[in-house]
Amino acid sequence: SGMLDIHPTAVVDRSAEIAAGVRIGAYCVVGPQVTIGEGTELRSHVVIESHTRIGSECTIFPFACIGGTPQDRKFQGEVTWCEIGDRNHLREHVTIHRGTANGGGITKVGNNNLLMVSAHLAHDVSLGNSCTIANEVMIAGHVAIEDGVTVAGGTGVHHFVTIGKRAMVAGLARVERDVPPYMVFGGAPATVRLPNKIGMSRCGFSDPTIRAMRDAYRLLFARKRERQRHAGETIEDRMEHLRRVYADVSPVMELVEFHARSLKAGVSGRYLETHRRDDKHAKVSHTSGAASIRS
């Protein structure tokens, strides 16, 4: 309609920038330094706390809280952001917090994502495009989720984990290490179960590519008796074999490089943990956080 449609009971801060065609329903609260793009709808009872940019054509359902203060003792009230792209569906009770200076200062959500009821994205999370995050999924701080990922209900993801593109994480999984791309991951603690053949065929990968991925899965993740013997005994040998045989199959190359990175550089299988800016063992960070809560 081009017109703004803001319900009289909504509270919108003067500094908020609201584009044409935005609809803000009853009892919503839009705080300072918030930008909302064209055609986005806040159904009712939605809270956008502050310092948040939301793209166009998003739908945000009742009782979602977006751009909230991070749940992090090291956060000292510094200006950080929450950034959400276009065409995202954020269902009831979704919570997405702003970033922290320690984590890069931004929590970022791409385009075309569906976050189901009560999904939680903590500070400094980066979520790609076209992901589906189901009910009650808990994503801790500093987690990176690449494009086309599905995380099923009730799953908990440890901080600094990376979930590779088009991976599928089964429900109620406990994810403590990086999830390789194109794989199905599940259990507690979760491990690679099998290649995500359904996900790959849905987004148009050819049968030969999917067969190559099944081969790669066997060599990298399957139990010893399922592996071909010729590929060598160590994981390095097997990765080298895959680099040779499938040099022109880019998903297999992505999988091998992702796995090599998590294995070699990772802390407990989490590559991003090697880049954390704080020293998690320093006692001072905890006490200064406690002091700031009292003050």
Side-chain angles (χ1 to χ4, degrees):
S1 65
M3 296 277 290
L4 276 182
D5 179 0
I6 299 179
H7 194 275
T9 59
V11 179
V12 179
D13 189 89
R14 282 204 190 96
S15 67
E17 292 177 33
I18 315 291
V22 167
R23 298 176 64 186
I24 298 179
Y27 305 106
C28 291
V29 178
V30 177
Q33 308 302 316
V34 171
T35 308
I36 302 179
E38 231 167 289
T40 283
E41 179 184 4
L42 277 49
R43 289 265 161 111
S44 75
H45 297 88
V46 171
V47 175
I48 315 289
E49 189 174 292
S50 75
H51 297 86
T52 297
R53 305 181 188 101
I54 298 173
S56 59
E57 291 169 50
C58 294
T59 307
I60 306 182
F61 285 75
F63 309 106
C65 297
I66 309 302
T69 305
Q71 298 178 134
D72 184 337
R73 289 179 181 277
K74 290 183 288 295
F75 182 72
Q76 302 288 333
E78 63 268 19
V79 172
T80 58
W81 290 88
C82 172
E83 204 165 272
I84 291 169
D86 305 329
R87 296 175 304 281
N88 293 295
H89 263 66
L90 310 179
R91 296 296 312 221
E92 297 83 351
H93 299 279
V94 161
T95 51
I96 305 177
H97 293 168
R98 303 192 306 280
T100 63
N102 179 52
I106 188 161
T107 303
K108 206 169 168 45
V109 172
N111 307 321
N112 301 305
N113 296 292
L114 167 59
L115 273 63
M116 297 187 198
V117 171
S118 288
H120 171 66
L121 265 53
H123 57 88
D124 308 295
V125 163
S126 151
L127 179 71
N129 305 307
S130 305
C131 294
T132 302
I133 309 296
N135 293 7
E136 308 285 348
V137 168
M138 300 170 281
I139 296 175
H142 313 279
V143 166
I145 300 179
E146 296 178 357
D147 295 349
V149 165
T150 298
V151 182
T155 290
V157 182
H158 191 287
H159 56 248
F160 290 101
V161 156
T162 305
I163 303 182
K165 65 161 73 155
R166 308 213 177 277
M168 158 85 205
V169 181
L172 298 173
R174 189 171 94 218
V175 182
E176 297 175 355
R177 54 184 52 238
D178 293 348
V179 177
Y182 308 105
M183 293 290 131
V184 176
F185 209 71
T191 52
V192 173
R193 293 298 174 81
L194 69 169
N196 187 8
K197 289 186 292 203
I198 293 170
M200 289 185 75
S201 62
R202 271 185 193 155
C203 59
F205 285 102
S206 68
D207 287 349
T209 299
I210 293 170
R211 278 198 300 275
M213 192 56 85
R214 201 168 54 208
D215 201 18
Y217 157 77
R218 282 200 194 106
L219 288 184
L220 296 177
F221 306 111
R223 285 188 294 275
K224 209 164 183 176
R225 64 172 185 273
E226 295 175 50
R227 294 200 301 256
Q228 303 99 314
R229 290 189 184 80
H230 69 265
E233 272 316 294
T234 71
I235 186 74
E236 277 76 17
D237 291 340
R238 298 197 298 275
M239 289 196 291
E240 226 17 81
H241 171 82
L242 289 169
R243 286 190 184 104
R244 247 190 345 269
V245 176
Y246 296 115
D248 56 345
V249 183
S250 62
V252 173
M253 291 301 96
E254 288 167 31
L255 174 69
V256 171
E257 295 322 316
F258 184 104
H259 191 53
R261 193 181 75 171
S262 298
L263 277 180
K264 287 198 189 90
V267 175
S268 310
R270 297 184 294 272
Y271 171 71
L272 289 176
E273 189 102 49
T274 55
H275 293 287
R276 64 187 296 171
R277 297 156 199 231
D278 59 327
D279 172 9
K280 88 174 212 203
H281 302 296
K283 290 195 173 59
V284 15
S285 70
H286 200 76
T287 50
S288 67
S292 74
I293 287 168
R294 278 197 302 275
S295 62

